Amino acid sequence: MENKNFIIAIILSVVVMFIWTEFFAPKPQKQADPEEITTETVAGESVPAAAGEPVQEKQRTAESINESDLRVSSVIHPEKTGSITNGYLTLEYSSLTGKVTSSKIVAERYASKEVDLIDALAAGGYFPHLNSIFGDEPAYKVKNSGRDFVEFKYENNGVVEIKKIKLLDNYRVDVSKKVINGTEYAIPWTPSLNYKSQQENQEILSSYRRKFNVVMGRPDGEYESCSDQKDIDKFLSSGNRVNWAGIDYGYFLFAVLGRDKEYELDAEIDKGKNISRFTVHSERQVLQPGEEHEEVFSLFYGTKERKLLVKENLGLEKTISFGWTSFLSEPLLIALNFFYRYVGNYGIAIILLTIVVKLLLFPLSNASYKSMSKMKKLQPKIKQLQEKYKNDKETLNKETMLLYQKEGVNPLGGCLPMFIQMPVYISLYYMIQNAVELYNAPFLPFWLTDLSEKDPFYIIPVSLGALMFLQTKLTPQQTDNNQAKIMMYTMPVVFTWISLVLPSGMTLYWFINTLLGIAQQFYVTKKYQ
C-alpha cells in the first residue's frame, strides 16, 4: 500500500531534518577580528562600553579623586605563575591581571577527559575579570598563596587593590577584590564581574553541544536560557536585577551566584563575532579616605550535577533542560539512575532501561506484529488482486482495503512500532545531550569509554543497520517488488548513516530495542502461523 510508504517517508523526513539541524546545519560565519571592549575610567570608576559605541561623559563629583592620579603605574611587576586545587578543579594562574590560564576538571570521574573550561572563553576575554580602580586590571604581584587559594596585590598613589581566588568545595569558587583608599580623596567604585565566552564551538567541551547560552534567574524563580539577543532583551525588559547569571555549556556551567543579594545585569549575544557576554554589577561604593571595601563574587564553575545545583537553592538545576521532551526525558533519566545504583555501569543500565520500555510498550507492539503476521498470510490474495487489477490502481486500492476490513487487518500496523518508539528515541537523545550522568560514562573498556560520544569504531551503528535490514526482510511487503527492494535497502542505510553521529548510549538503546523487536517478531510469527 502506498499509505505505508507515505507514513515511512514522513518518519524518515522528520528524522533526517532533526539530525541535519543538530549536526550538519551550516554554522554562522565568524569574523576574523575578535571583539574589542573599550573601557572608560570616570572618577576612578571603570565602566565597560561596547566597541564602536560613543562613550558618554559622566559628571564627576567634587569629592572624587582626579582620574589622572589613578592611572596604572609604569612599574610592572614580573609575571608569577602557579596553581591551586581542591580535588575537583585545578586552576593555573598568572599574576598579569590576576587571571586563570587553565581551569581543568580533575574530579576522578571526569579527569580522563582533560576538560579545560578556559577553552570556552572568547578572544580577549579572561577569568576572573573584575573591574579595577585603575581602569584595566594591572600586573599584580603575588601577595600570598596556598593549596586552594591565591592572593594578588597592586598599589599605586595610595590606592591598594587586592584580588583573591579561593576554591571551596566541589565546583564552588569565590573571587574577590578589596580596594583600600589611602588617599585624601573619596573614590567611587561599582564592583562588577565580566565574563566573555564563545557563543558556539562544537570542537570543545562536548561535540554534541554547539551553542553556549546566557542563562539567568530572578529571586521569584523566573528563569531564562537565551540563545540570541532578542531573548536577552525580552527577559531584561521587565528589569535587569537578577540573583544569578551565567553561561550554559551543556554538561558544564559558569554562573555568578548572588545568594543573599541581587546584581544589575547587562548581557549580549553577538553571533557574528561568536560571543556570549554578561556583566554583573554590585552596589556602587564611595570609599572615603582611609576606608576599604571588599566585594566577593560566589561562582559555580563545573559540571552540572543535579544534586550540586539543587544544593545552591537558586534554581540552577533549571539549566538541565530537556526542552519539549521533558515529560519523557526526566522519567527516563530517573529510571536510568535507578538501575545504575544497582549495576554500577550506565551501559548495562541502558540495556535494562530498554527492556523495561519494551515491556511497557509490549501490548502495542504485539498488536502490530500480529497485524503483520496476518498480513503475511494475505500476501497470496493481495498478489491475485494486483494481477487482476494491474491496470486499474483505483480499483486495486479499493479491493485491497475491502480485503483488509474483511480479514481484520490494519495495513499501517507495521508502522506502529516505529511511531511509538520515535518519541522515546528523541527524548533519549536530549537526555544524553543534557544529563551529565552519561558524560564520560564507560560501558566497555577500550571501546565504549564514553556513552555521550559516538561509537569510535562504528560497531553498533553497522550492527544496527544489519539488524534493521533483517527486520525489513521479515516484514511483509505490501508494494510491488521494485518498491519493496527500494524500501528494504534505503531504510537501513539511512538509519545507519544517522546512527554514525549519535551518542553511543543512544545507539546502544536503539540496537537492543531492534534486537528485542526481531525476537518478538519471530515469536508472534511462529505463534500465529
Side-chain angles (χ1 to χ4, degrees), residues 454-497:
K454 65 183 180 181
D455 185 337
F457 305 115
Y458 305 111
I459 295 174
I460 295 182
V462 172
S463 302
L464 175 63
L467 283 182
M468 293 190 70
F469 178 80
L470 175 61
Q471 192 174 42
T472 305
K473 290 274 287 185
L474 295 173
T475 304
Q477 300 296 327
Q478 306 168 48
T479 60
D480 57 58
N481 290 335
N482 289 333
Q483 288 178 311
K485 288 179 180 179
I486 292 173
M487 190 62 63
M488 182 183 299
Y489 292 110
T490 300
M491 285 189 62
V493 170
V494 170
F495 282 113
T496 299
W497 172 74

Side-chain angles (χ1 to χ4, degrees), residues 218 235-242 262-266 279 281:
R218 291 196 173 103
F235 184 84
L236 297 182
S237 63
S238 57
N240 69 340
R241 298 193 68 82
V242 299
E262 295 181 19
Y263 294 111
E264 288 188 4
L265 173 72
D266 66 74
T279 304
H281 306 276

Side-chain angles (χ1 to χ4, degrees), residues 189-346:
W189 177 44
T190 302
S192 65
L193 183 148
N194 176 275
Y195 189 82
K196 186 168 69 167
S197 166
Q198 297 179 63
Q199 198 272 328
E200 180 176 356
N201 190 335
Q202 62 178 335
E203 303 297 330
I204 61 173
L205 305 185
S206 168
S207 61
Y208 296 106
R209 187 71 178 187
R210 290 184 171 184
K211 291 183 173 60
F212 305 149
N213 290 353
V214 176
V215 289
M216 56 195 79
R218 291 196 173 103
D220 61 3
E222 186 179 1
Y223 164 77
E224 187 64 44
S225 177
C226 304
S227 59
D228 56 38
Q229 190 62 40
K230 289 182 179 179
D231 293 338
I232 293 175
D233 294 341
K234 182 179 179 181
F235 184 84
L236 297 182
S237 63
S238 57
N240 69 340
R241 298 193 68 82
V242 299
N243 65 338
W244 71 272
I247 303 290
D248 182 4
Y249 293 116
Y251 297 122
F252 312 97
L253 175 68
F254 174 86
V256 184
L257 316 177
R259 292 189 178 88
D260 55 355
K261 64 187 299 183
E262 295 181 19
Y263 294 111
E264 288 188 4
L265 173 72
D266 66 74
E268 68 171 326
I269 292 178
D270 189 329
K271 294 183 177 181
K273 294 181 179 179
N274 196 34
I275 289 173
S276 292
R277 182 197 64 80
F278 73 91
T279 304
V280 290
H281 306 276
S282 190
E283 292 183 5
R284 185 176 186 270
Q285 306 292 324
V286 178
L287 278 66
Q288 300 299 327
E291 287 187 342
E292 64 180 54
H293 177 77
E294 182 177 26
E295 189 73 25
V296 180
F297 295 92
S298 297
L299 313 177
F300 185 93
Y301 195 33
T303 58
K304 286 166 33 178
E305 297 176 33
R306 181 179 289 272
K307 63 180 181 180
L308 299 180
L309 300 181
V310 171
K311 188 177 179 181
E312 298 298 335
N313 198 31
L314 290 171
L316 299 184
E317 65 275 9
K318 294 177 182 178
T319 60
I320 307 174
S321 173
F322 306 118
W324 65 271
T325 68
S326 294
F327 73 101
L328 264 180
S329 296
E330 291 182 2
L332 286 174
L333 181 58
I334 292 172
L336 192 66
N337 286 328
F338 172 80
F339 291 128
Y340 178 76
R341 283 197 295 270
Y342 290 97
V343 299
N345 183 296
Y346 273 108

Side-chain angles (χ1 to χ4, degrees), residues 65-209:
I65 193 169
N66 190 322
E67 65 173 295
S68 62
D69 293 334
L70 288 178
R71 290 174 183 165
V72 178
S73 170
S74 58
V75 176
I76 304 221
H77 299 297
E79 182 182 19
K80 298 291 184 181
T81 60
S83 65
I84 57 177
T85 187
N86 66 350
Y88 284 79
L89 285 170
T90 293
L91 307 183
E92 296 179 4
Y93 61 81
S94 166
S95 60
L96 298 180
T97 71
K99 64 184 177 181
V100 171
T101 56
S102 174
S103 179
K104 291 185 178 178
I105 295 179
V106 295
E108 182 179 357
R109 181 178 168 188
Y110 310 108
S112 62
K113 295 293 283 187
E114 297 184 344
V115 174
D116 191 344
L117 297 174
I118 288 297
D119 291 342
L121 291 177
Y126 66 92
F127 161 77
H129 184 174
L130 306 177
N131 72 321
S132 172
I133 291 294
F134 303 110
D136 297 324
E137 288 201 276
Y140 294 94
K141 64 180 180 180
V142 177
K143 178 176 180 287
N144 196 9
S145 65
R147 179 181 181 272
D148 59 1
F149 78 95
V150 61
E151 204 170 39
F152 308 99
K153 181 179 180 180
Y154 188 86
E155 184 173 1
N156 181 40
N157 293 332
V159 178
V160 178
E161 277 194 359
I162 298 174
K163 182 176 182 178
K164 185 176 181 179
I165 304 172
K166 168 71 174 175
L167 292 173
L168 306 177
D169 59 318
N170 57 71
Y171 302 108
R172 295 169 63 240
V173 186
D174 278 354
V175 297
S176 64
K177 178 165 286 190
K178 179 190 289 187
V179 175
I180 303 172
N181 184 6
T183 72
E184 298 178 357
Y185 306 93
I187 300 177
W189 177 44
T190 302
S192 65
L193 183 148
N194 176 275
Y195 189 82
K196 186 168 69 167
S197 166
Q198 297 179 63
Q199 198 272 328
E200 180 176 356
N201 190 335
Q202 62 178 335
E203 303 297 330
I204 61 173
L205 305 185
S206 168
S207 61
Y208 296 106
R209 187 71 178 187

Side-chain angles (χ1 to χ4, degrees), residues 349-413:
I350 287 175
I351 293 174
L352 294 176
L353 176 66
T354 311
I355 294 172
V356 170
V357 173
K358 193 68 178 177
L359 289 174
L360 291 175
L361 299 178
F362 183 84
L364 291 175
S365 57
N366 203 50
S368 175
Y369 290 132
K370 285 171 62 177
S371 179
M372 285 192 290
S373 181
K374 292 180 181 180
M375 184 76 70
K376 193 171 185 179
K377 291 181 180 181
L378 291 180
Q379 289 306 301
K381 294 182 180 181
I382 292 175
K383 288 183 179 179
Q384 289 177 4
L385 291 175
Q386 289 174 344
E387 183 64 28
K388 183 177 180 179
Y389 300 107
K390 60 183 178 181
N391 296 322
D392 189 350
K393 291 287 186 181
E394 185 176 347
T395 304
L396 173 61
N397 290 338
K398 183 177 179 181
E399 292 296 325
T400 303
M401 291 304 298
L402 289 174
L403 177 64
Y404 290 152
Q405 292 176 7
K406 180 180 177 181
E407 299 293 336
V409 173
N410 180 5
L412 299 179

